[in-house]
Amino acid sequence: MRYINMLGLMASLLFASCESFLDRNPSTSLPSNEAVTTVKDLNFAVNGVYSLMTDTRGTYAGDFPIFADLRGNDLTPWDNYGQISPVAFYTVDKNNTIALEFYSQFYTGLARVNKVLAQAAEIEVSSSDEATYNNLIGELYAVRALYHFDLARLFAKIPTNSSADINAANSGIVLSDRVFESSYLGSRSTLKETYDFILSDLAEAAKVIKTTKNTGHLNYWAVKALEARVNLYYGKNQAALTAAEEVIKDCPYALYERNDYTSVWEKEGTSESILEILVTDIYSAQRNSVGYYTHIEGYAECAAGDAFVAFLASRDGDVRGQLIEEESDGTYSGMFIQKYPGRNGNLYLNNPKLIRLSEVYLIAAEAAVKGASGTHDAAYYMNALRAKRIEGYVDVAGVTLADVLTERRLELFGEGHYAWDYWRNNMAIVNDYIKGGVVAPDNYMTILPIPQTEIEVSKGSLVQNPQY
């Protein structure tokens, strides 16, 4: 199996000594130096896994939700403090801290998952605890799949991209599937091995994870929705549609109503939130929170671009246009997205909605447009979603891929999809900061460089992405 030296180092640090951040909330997460010997311990340890997903930059509550949007012009820096703005400027090189933060935070999270899984395997589980134990194991497999998928989106080509060779050596990422020694030097898998591993973990999770809602945690429906998303990226459209249709047909979630749409973003456990990660006063990315990036009171490094504002304004009766508002600092003003308003006025506190039911409808529509066959055609799913967003909407008889991508642009802006949606469909995006004004899907900068520190410590076993 393939491992990376950073991962071994993280494992030894996380589980040989107590991390400072764990001291902040000992009642809900198990300190990393304590053994997981009971199901109660396992529950605490799983809580610790989730807390690590939100507590600093480079996490799901920090840079990640707006990364893909900042690659184009729909969302763009209004101010420049050098925090997330280098993503928009395409100035993230192999020595930049942004690439290092993503890499280290996600692999640190994987180290935590693998250590907990290893210790959980030694627990003697009573029959009364078996269902709880199995569900927690399912959550760990699902988190591991999620981390690997997003690492692959950041540091490897998308399989459906025409410039990708899924069987090429070093085309994927380092796979972290077990606890390993800090001295182990890893290497990258192929892209095919990466995506097969992700789907394998999701399959394991689906066998044991519960179907009940549990805000802040993955459940069966989150696993199936993620399976649909991964398969869409992998070019397996039939599998994507099958998983998406199961979620749409049987899950306990419901599309937001038009009248509720503008008020759901500061709330927890809303009707569409298949997966949202809980952000608290204790566990947040603070000044590197997504809310701090997306408002004028914060860094203001993620505002709405002029063309996108005009695009939204041109769509009569579409409630989604109301999620762009003018904000002022008393001297200057700009247009900012309102998906991260903060709870109780605190911009640090926004639960990232990583999977919403709307996206699952759009996955189903896209897979159907691309030839997958299911219970309904693509227009059915598009009409169902649009009817909840557009006043006086009239159903259409058919839709194209361009229609689906436009709908994704409208529905999911600021939620981490935009650039990847177009690049995985072999389409360029517009970016005024880059030479030529467009970023083609074969541009080497569509993926991040492996941090140079990792290249150096790997002693030649870890291959850098081309042209970095």
Side-chain angles (χ1 to χ4, degrees):
M1 303 306 294
R2 297 170 172 82
Y3 303 108
I4 188 167
N5 198 41
M6 172 182 280
L7 300 183
L9 177 61
M10 292 300 180
S12 62
L13 289 175
L14 285 171
F15 296 97
S17 61
C18 185
E19 272 190 295
S20 61
F21 86 89
L22 286 170
D23 293 333
R24 288 179 271 165
N25 198 5
S27 64
T28 59
S29 60
L30 189 71
S32 55
N33 62 328
E34 292 186 9
V36 177
T37 59
T38 67
V39 174
K40 183 179 180 179
D41 291 342
L42 179 59
N43 186 63
F44 288 152
V46 170
N47 286 340
V49 165
Y50 284 108
S51 70
L52 205 60
M53 300 171 81
T54 66
D55 77 328
T56 187
R57 69 172 307 174
T59 65
Y60 291 107
D63 303 46
F64 191 81
I66 51 175
F67 175 86
D69 294 85
L70 282 172
R71 307 296 263 171
N73 272 358
D74 283 1
L75 300 186
T76 185
W78 180 85
D79 213 333
N80 179 18
Y81 288 90
Q83 299 296 317
I84 192 69
S85 57
V87 170
F89 302 149
Y90 286 79
T91 56
V92 179
D93 61 22
K94 62 187 179 183
N95 296 306
N96 189 280
T97 57
I98 290 176
L100 180 61
E101 288 288 349
F102 281 131
Y103 206 80
S104 62
Q105 294 303 324
F106 280 34
Y107 276 116
T108 299
L110 285 167
R112 171 67 55 81
V113 169
N114 288 328
K115 183 64 176 182
V116 175
L117 278 170
Q119 292 193 338
E122 304 300 320
I123 297 175
E124 292 186 11
V125 183
S126 66
S127 58
S128 61
D129 286 335
E130 187 173 356
T132 299
Y133 173 86
N134 287 339
N135 179 68
L136 292 169
I137 296 299
E139 289 187 54
L140 290 168
Y141 274 107
V143 169
R144 194 167 74 175
L146 177 65
Y147 270 134
H148 278 93
F149 176 62
D150 289 331
L151 279 165
R153 290 200 289 177
L154 289 165
F155 294 99
K157 288 285 187 179
I158 297 170
T160 55
N161 188 308
S162 60
S163 63
D165 178 355
I166 66 172
N167 294 303
N170 303 303
S171 57
I173 61 170
V174 177
L175 300 182
S176 177
D177 69 344
R178 68 184 73 175
V179 177
F180 42 86
E181 297 297 326
S182 61
S183 60
Y184 195 98
L185 299 178
S187 60
R188 298 171 66 170
S189 65
T190 68
L191 201 52
K192 182 179 187 302
E193 289 168 339
T194 297
Y195 273 73
D196 287 346
F197 177 77
I198 294 164
L199 290 171
S200 175
D201 264 3
L202 290 174
E204 289 300 312
K207 292 176 184 177
V208 293
I209 202 166
K210 292 180 179 180
T211 60
T212 50
K213 285 186 176 182
N214 187 7
T215 300
H217 291 247
L218 285 111
N219 62 9
Y220 177 83
W221 307 112
V223 169
K224 298 303 289 187
L226 186 56
E227 179 187 322
R229 183 193 288 177
V230 172
N231 276 304
L232 195 67
Y233 275 68
Y234 203 5
K236 297 181 180 295
N237 296 310
Q238 189 59 58
L241 179 59
T242 298
E245 287 196 326
E246 181 183 353
V247 175
I248 291 166
K249 178 178 179 292
D250 296 327
C251 78
Y253 304 92
L255 292 173
Y256 295 142
E257 296 295 334
R258 186 178 183 278
N259 291 338
D260 298 328
Y261 195 77
T262 59
S263 65
V264 297
W265 304 97
E266 63 184 292
K267 299 176 181 178
E268 290 188 354
T270 54
S271 67
E272 277 199 25
S273 292
I274 298 176
L275 174 61
E276 65 179 88
I277 306 299
L278 301 181
V279 176
T280 69
D281 290 320
I282 295 171
Y283 295 108
S284 79
Q286 299 190 37
R287 286 181 179 267
N288 291 107
S289 297
V290 63
Y292 208 73
Y293 288 136
T294 55
H295 290 276
I296 202 168
E297 299 93 335
Y299 285 129
E301 291 192 337
C302 186
D306 291 343
F308 188 56
V309 172
F311 168 66
L312 290 175
S314 71
R315 303 185 63 85
D316 292 340
D318 195 323
V319 69
R320 292 170 290 199
Q322 296 179 31
L323 287 179
I324 302 288
E325 292 183 3
E326 185 174 9
E327 296 181 2
S328 174
D329 64 1
T331 303
Y332 302 101
S333 64
M335 302 297 287
F336 290 85
I337 66 173
Q338 303 300 313
K339 288 187 173 180
Y340 303 100
R343 293 194 303 277
N344 302 318
N346 187 342
L347 292 179
Y348 298 168
L349 302 183
N350 293 278
N351 291 351
K353 295 174 172 57
L354 301 187
I355 304 175
R356 290 196 292 119
L357 185 59
S358 294
E359 184 200 348
V360 182
Y361 273 75
L362 291 165
I363 290 171
E366 184 173 341
V369 161
K370 292 178 175 176
S373 58
T375 306
H376 303 287
D377 64 6
Y380 171 87
Y381 295 107
M382 291 281 280
N383 287 329
L385 178 58
R386 287 171 171 171
K388 300 288 188 180
R389 304 290 181 261
I390 303 171
E391 187 176 12
Y393 177 72
V394 178
D395 285 357
V396 298
V399 296
T400 65
L401 177 59
D403 293 328
V404 177
L405 292 177
T406 295
E407 204 66 26
R408 288 183 67 92
R409 186 181 172 202
L410 286 163
E411 182 64 32
L412 302 173
F413 68 82
E415 297 180 61
H417 300 277
Y418 175 69
W420 289 321
D421 284 347
Y422 284 85
W423 290 336
R424 64 182 169 78
N425 282 293
N426 294 292
M427 299 177 185
I429 62 171
V430 176
N431 182 291
D432 291 337
Y433 298 111
I434 199 167
K435 185 178 179 179
V438 297
V439 188
D442 61 352
N443 190 312
Y444 79 96
M445 290 186 290
T446 60
I447 58 178
L448 293 177
I450 305 297
Q452 182 61 23
T453 52
E454 292 308 299
I455 298 295
E456 292 171 358
V457 79
S458 73
K459 300 178 181 179
S461 67
L462 188 60
V463 175
Q464 182 59 275
N465 281 323
Q467 299 187 54
Y468 283 110

